[in-house]
Amino acid sequence: MSSSGQLLPQQHQHFQQSQILLQSSPSPSFLGKHKIPLRIFPETHKFPHHLSGGRLRGFSLNFHPVSACGNSRWFAPLRSAGEKLSGSLEPDESSNYSKEAAEILKPKKASFLTILQGANSVLPHVVIASTVLALVYPPSFTWFTNRYYAPALGFLMFAVGLNSSEKDFIEAFNRPAAIFAGYVGQFVVKPLLGYLFGTISMTIFGLPTPLAAGIMLTSCVSGAQLSNYATFLTDPAMAPLSIVMTSLSTATAVFVTPLLSLLLIGKRLPVDVKGMVSNILQIVVAPIAAGLLLNRIFPRISNAIRPFLPPLSVFVTALCVGAPLAINIRSVLSPSGLSVLFLVIAFHLAAFVSGYTLTGLLFHNTPDVKALQRTLSYETGMQSSLLALALANRFFQDPLVGVPPAISVVIMSLMGFSLVMLWSKKSEAIA
């Protein structure tokens, strides 16, 4: 018998022994469960050196060719570069064990978005709980009087400034058309809707002028910081763009809001433009600037106090939602208050729908048009009603002017987070 004929039985015997060893190795489910490297072959038992290549049980086996086998082709050469067998079997490129381990060991960087994922995750539930508690037991919030609104809003603006950085805005500024569309929705579309529903409140519902002025004032303020969080929950990639839109409208509100108020309300009630400019500077611009400067000049102090800001912001937001409703509970539950409630709901609904629809028409060729529609819907439908409430309490003698902003704080939050739950479920279904 030739030498090649004598080798074939030996190769067959080696191959059967190898198959037995492989079949006794741990199952893939065990490997996937524990994700630990396992040595199938002990050091004392090397895999047969004469196999030319193969792949088994999710592992790449690098076998060496056998010159003695001549033209015998027992195994197809499936060698992949960089795969070695030195007493142990390594996972092939298709396995994601190393990737998962790298993700686990990879340090997570603190940013504005990751901070939002903290205590702010309970914010929707807090808004609902505050609303119910204010209706059931108003004294729980009545101690938080009107004089606390401005400092509370200033604290929220300071938190925004401290948790912001230039890097969050770089990519967002590459979309000037979307930013401009959000600005138009905030300071053109919304004031027109406010003027429309304010006029309807007087002509059709016969409500007094101060209530109509309150609706118009609510439509003239800047975007709400809650819109950033709502966008983050629905479309995280759009959150920086939402932050830029809100920051831009907030920064320019120092001039735009008084002018819009004078244009829409000036003929009905006196408007102190200089006083509004000064008040917005104190409530909005100064706290945001202080947060940015502290973050840049004293980063250690910023890092020390930053973890405490999310829970404090949630607590302050709960007070700002519940207190206006509790203080104005009689006005809200009065016949005129129920009419204002209906008008405020219609106003915000029209704003949400307008932002979503107009964005779809203008950016229908954009690849992420749906996400952009949701983002601009939040930006158009949600505004800083707390700022409107602070301005109403500061510059209008009639307390009825503050009723629409007080109702708007609650309605805006409830409607916005209802859309979050609706759109998040649709996104999960598509995924």
Side-chain angles (χ1 to χ4, degrees):
M1 183 180 297
S2 63
S3 59
S4 60
Q6 295 176 354
L7 287 175
L8 287 179
Q10 297 177 2
Q11 292 173 355
H12 183 66
Q13 181 178 3
H14 282 302
F15 176 72
Q16 289 181 340
Q17 294 175 355
S18 303
Q19 288 292 90
I20 296 174
L21 288 173
L22 285 176
Q23 290 176 1
S24 63
S25 63
S27 63
S29 60
F30 177 83
L31 294 176
K33 179 179 179 181
H34 295 274
K35 295 183 176 62
I36 58 176
L38 297 177
R39 188 176 299 278
I40 297 179
F41 296 100
E43 292 291 341
T44 58
H45 190 98
K46 300 294 184 180
F47 200 80
H49 69 280
H50 55 277
L51 302 180
S52 61
R55 187 180 299 267
L56 189 61
R57 289 183 180 267
F59 292 90
S60 295
L61 309 181
N62 188 23
F63 306 138
H64 301 284
V66 181
S67 58
C69 289
N71 296 328
S72 173
R73 297 181 181 180
W74 280 46
F75 303 96
L78 298 174
R79 169 180 291 183
S80 59
E83 298 175 345
K84 298 179 180 180
L85 182 66
S86 58
S88 64
L89 297 179
E90 298 178 357
D92 62 4
E93 296 177 356
S94 63
S95 67
N96 56 358
Y97 303 148
S98 59
K99 294 181 181 179
E100 293 177 356
E103 290 294 330
I104 295 174
L105 298 177
K106 184 179 180 180
K108 296 183 178 180
K109 298 181 179 180
S111 64
F112 180 71
L113 299 183
T114 55
I115 290 175
L116 284 177
Q117 288 179 308
N120 285 342
S121 60
V122 301
L123 189 57
H125 308 285
V126 171
V127 170
I128 297 175
S130 301
T131 303
V132 174
L133 185 59
L135 292 173
V136 175
Y137 188 65
S140 58
F141 291 100
T142 51
W143 61 271
F144 195 80
T145 57
N146 297 342
R147 62 179 179 177
Y148 296 117
Y149 292 158
L153 186 59
F155 171 77
L156 295 177
M157 296 299 102
F158 172 77
V160 171
L162 190 67
N163 289 314
S164 300
S165 65
E166 297 82 357
K167 295 181 180 180
D168 295 331
F169 305 101
I170 293 177
E171 293 185 1
F173 277 113
N174 292 329
R175 308 185 69 168
I179 296 175
F180 180 73
Y183 194 84
V184 170
Q186 190 66 242
F187 282 136
V188 176
V189 175
K190 182 176 292 181
L192 290 177
L193 292 174
Y195 181 80
L196 173 63
F197 285 98
T199 304
I200 291 175
S201 68
M202 292 184 297
T203 57
I204 298 179
F205 289 85
L207 298 178
T209 300
L211 290 176
I215 296 175
M216 296 179 187
L217 179 63
T218 303
S219 68
C220 295
V221 293
S222 58
Q225 281 67 42
L226 287 180
S227 65
N228 306 149
Y229 182 59
T231 301
F232 172 75
L233 292 178
T234 309
D235 303 286
M238 288 290 178
L241 181 62
S242 176
I243 295 171
V244 169
M245 292 178 181
T246 303
S247 302
L248 183 61
S249 65
T250 301
T252 57
V254 64
F255 305 110
V256 177
T257 296
L259 291 177
L260 286 174
S261 301
L262 179 63
L263 179 64
L264 300 182
I265 311 173
K267 296 181 180 180
R268 298 172 175 83
L269 295 175
V271 176
D272 185 1
V273 177
K274 292 182 179 180
M276 279 190 176
V277 171
S278 176
N279 199 252
I280 295 174
L281 282 172
Q282 297 175 16
I283 295 176
V284 178
V285 179
I288 289 181
L292 289 172
L293 288 176
L294 184 64
N295 194 24
R296 175 174 287 273
I297 300 175
F298 302 103
R300 292 186 178 180
I301 298 178
S302 300
N303 294 333
I305 66 177
R306 187 176 289 113
F308 300 97
L309 292 180
L312 289 176
S313 298
V314 171
F315 177 70
V316 171
T317 302
L319 294 176
C320 292
V321 171
L325 186 59
I327 294 173
N328 299 277
I329 189 67
R330 292 183 179 179
S331 299
V332 172
L333 297 179
S334 65
S336 60
L338 295 177
S339 300
V340 173
L341 176 63
F342 172 78
L343 289 169
V344 169
I345 292 175
F347 163 71
H348 281 291
L349 180 61
F352 278 113
V353 173
S354 298
Y356 189 88
T357 304
L358 294 177
T359 304
L361 295 176
L362 295 175
F363 298 93
H364 60 277
N365 292 327
T366 306
D368 55 351
V369 60
K370 290 298 180 181
L372 189 61
Q373 282 182 277
R374 292 189 286 265
T375 301
L376 288 177
S377 178
Y378 289 134
E379 290 299 317
T380 308
M382 305 176 75
Q383 75 285 325
S384 184
S385 301
L386 287 175
L387 178 59
L389 183 60
L391 296 176
N393 294 330
R394 174 68 176 79
F395 298 104
F396 296 92
Q397 296 180 354
D398 197 321
L400 290 179
V401 179
V403 174
I407 297 176
S408 174
V409 173
V410 180
I411 297 303
M412 172 197 69
S413 303
L414 293 178
M415 294 182 69
F417 288 114
S418 296
L419 288 176
V420 167
M421 291 185 290
L422 175 64
W423 284 334
S424 296
K425 289 181 179 179
K426 287 186 176 181
S427 300
E428 293 176 358
I430 293 176

